[in-house]
Amino acid sequence: MEQNIVLTGMVLNVMPIGEYDKRITVLTKERGKITAFARGARRPTSQLLAVTSPFSFGEFEFFQGRSTYNLRKASILNYFRELSADPVKACYGFYFLELADYYAQENNNEKELLKLLYQTLRALESQAFSSRLVRRIYELRVLLAEGEYPEVFSCRSCGAKENLKWFSMKDIRMVCDCCRTGTDEILVEESALYTMQYILSSDLQKLYTFTVSKDVLCRLEQILDRIYAVLLNHKFRSLEILQTMK
């Protein structure tokens, strides 16, 4: 028996189905990631045309059947339209959606991931932050939300919390002076270490409230690229496009 349900979420992905329909992926606060059909949403006169666009955030009303969701209507609170005015920022935004889509699961508690995604897109729209920094903050915080974050608060070998100067590119975690092997570690300056610790430990509301030097950003990029290469055997289409736009 079908029933109506209202879920708060954001559209991550849209696929055309048939001549006039869409299949959408929505990251919801209540039920994690769900896939739903939007009948007639590709018709120019459809009320579902705009609300089924990527980045659309708001309340979505679905018919829930035994195995499918069908979108009935939506009340959108934020379309993040400013991103479309900047092709590079839009590409960053689509990467953030792809990353959330990759990690999110159906019927899982993805409330923190949804909040993180929303706050990240708001920071991306702002002129106060570098898109490169927003990306790295988001990438590291996603790992925290999914329980795969690197150990940056103590040495992986002895547990020491002092003299953490080296990041093991093999084990993707910090090591102290005494435990480093000298084979696969890179030197991490104190400011870069503090930045990673802050990103992993701060409240979400305070996450996008700082900037860093060019050197610190470059170190973050080096470390996060390595972490994602080790943890994820996946290529993101939007990230590949972004590389061609720089």
Side-chain angles (χ1 to χ4, degrees), residues 66 144 241:
R66 295 183 61 182
L144 176 66
I241 296 174

Short mmCIF file of all heavy atoms in Angstrom, two decimals, residues 66 144 241:
data_model
loop_
_atom_site.label_atom_id
_atom_site.label_comp_id
_atom_site.label_asym_id
_atom_site.label_seq_id
_atom_site.Cartn_x
_atom_site.Cartn_y
_atom_site.Cartn_z
N ARG A 66 6.00 -0.29 -2.34
CA ARG A 66 6.67 -1.41 -1.69
C ARG A 66 8.17 -1.40 -1.96
O ARG A 66 8.98 -1.81 -1.12
CB ARG A 66 6.07 -2.74 -2.16
CG ARG A 66 4.61 -2.92 -1.75
CD ARG A 66 4.08 -4.27 -2.18
NE ARG A 66 4.82 -5.37 -1.56
CZ ARG A 66 4.58 -6.66 -1.80
NH1 ARG A 66 3.63 -7.01 -2.65
NH2 ARG A 66 5.29 -7.59 -1.19
N LEU A 144 35.58 11.88 8.26
CA LEU A 144 35.16 11.83 9.65
C LEU A 144 33.72 11.32 9.75
O LEU A 144 33.41 10.46 10.59
CB LEU A 144 35.27 13.21 10.29
CG LEU A 144 34.77 13.33 11.73
CD1 LEU A 144 35.64 12.50 12.66
CD2 LEU A 144 34.76 14.80 12.18
N ILE A 241 36.86 16.60 -14.91
CA ILE A 241 36.55 17.82 -15.68
C ILE A 241 37.22 19.02 -15.03
O ILE A 241 37.77 19.89 -15.71
CB ILE A 241 35.03 18.02 -15.78
CG1 ILE A 241 34.39 16.87 -16.58
CG2 ILE A 241 34.71 19.36 -16.43
CD1 ILE A 241 32.88 16.93 -16.59
#
